[in-house]
Amino acid sequence: MTPVYTVAQMRAWEDAAVATGGSYAALMENAGARAAADLFSRFETAQRLLVLCGKGNNGGDGLVLARHWAEAGWPAAVCLLLGENLSPLSAANLANLPPSVQQLPPERLPESDVVVDAVFGTGYSGELPAAVAALMRQINRQSGCNVALDMPSGINSDHGHIAADSFCAQITYAFQAFKPAHKLPEVQAYCGDIVCLDIA
Ligand SMILES: NC(=O)C1=CN([C@@H]2O[C@H](COP(=O)(O)OP(=O)(O)OC[C@H]3O[C@@H](n4cnc5c(N)ncnc54)[C@H](OP(=O)(O)O)[C@@H]3O)[C@@H](O)[C@H]2O)[C@@H](O)CC1
Ligand SMILES: [K+]
């Protein structure tokens, strides 16, 4: 049975995986690559991807996903919503993006078939910054396929507080374990299908 891990338990699991021979970089690679692989299995033709990234490691998962998308020959763009001062793992994955992945400012985002929310994951709490909330409001009205990595941005993984204008997904990829918020019906309405991916 898939376990449910609090944020602290998830961090302990990551630390243990690294202590037994893994690496944080490999966990991030597996998260982004396996989310991409699941998405590829859902579409028969190339889809235009837009990945919205924050500064933390959730954004790094999104950058890995964008790289795999582009390597499959499918069009991909990323937007660094909170600037370029990224976590070290995310910065490494930004540097690894192939030139075919467009990097766009938030005010010039294209129509996309698949929008991936990699703004906030388990490191999030509180309310959304005003600019993020405004963009989420706009994207939540669009008709594309919305995908959240680990948790829709705006939702606290431990206790499930739902901020105004939280991202509304059709698919949420939970990494390694469900988080307590995934089990709450009011949060499930923002997650859509919740698919847990092994990232070991
Ligand atoms: N650890 C690993 O190796 C792996 C982790 N993985 C992935 O990483 C995710 C966790 O990553 P994470 O811990 O970096 O946190 P994340 O959710 O990206 O956000 C942190 C940023 O958000 C900010 N912030 C928070 N609240 C805010 C607010 N209200 N308004 C504004 N800002 C706010 C916060 O700012 P700060 O509080 O530091 O100022 C910080 O900059 C996890 O869900 C999974 O997807 C996988 O790749 C597997 C390997
Ligand atoms: K997210």
Side-chain angles (χ1 to χ4, degrees):
M1 206 174 81
T2 305
V4 180
Y5 288 165
T6 63
V7 173
Q9 286 172 319
M10 191 60 216
R11 292 203 178 118
W13 179 89
E14 288 162 359
D15 293 344
V18 171
T20 52
S23 70
Y24 296 111
L27 297 177
M28 182 175 283
E29 179 64 28
N30 292 342
R34 289 172 193 173
D38 187 89
L39 283 172
F40 289 141
S41 75
R42 294 170 187 256
F43 301 110
E44 287 175 1
T45 55
Q47 305 287 306
R48 294 165 302 170
L49 173 75
L50 171 64
V51 183
L52 306 173
C53 297
K55 293 188 296 184
N57 290 329
N58 194 249
D61 300 345
L63 293 168
V64 172
L65 196 162
R67 169 162 42 82
H68 283 273
W69 206 267
E71 284 172 355
W74 289 17
V78 301
C79 173
L80 304 180
L81 271 187
L82 301 171
E84 301 218 2
N85 185 19
L86 307 182
S87 71
L89 284 177
S90 297
N93 280 298
L94 179 65
N96 250 347
L97 282 180
S100 63
V101 177
Q102 286 185 289
Q103 198 178 316
L104 300 173
E107 57 279 5
R108 208 163 56 78
L109 296 180
E111 280 282 309
S112 305
D113 304 309
V114 177
V115 177
V116 168
D117 159 30
V119 184
F120 297 119
T122 53
Y124 170 83
S125 63
E127 299 301 320
L128 288 173
V132 175
L135 181 62
M136 294 313 192
R137 206 156 48 235
Q138 180 193 322
I139 285 170
N140 286 342
R141 282 197 298 260
Q142 292 171 359
S143 60
C145 176
N146 284 359
V147 176
L149 299 187
D150 221 8
M151 188 62 67
S153 291
I155 298 176
N156 181 288
S157 294
D158 275 343
H159 52 64
H161 171 72
I162 301 169
D165 300 311
S166 291
F167 187 76
C168 205
Q170 278 98 53
I171 306 166
T172 294
Y173 293 112
F175 296 130
Q176 195 58 34
F178 296 119
K179 315 304 174 304
H182 290 131
K183 295 294 175 185
L184 303 174
E186 63 273 26
V187 170
Q188 288 168 352
Y190 284 81
C191 293
D193 282 347
I194 305 176
V195 178
C196 190
L197 299 175
D198 189 331
I199 61 168

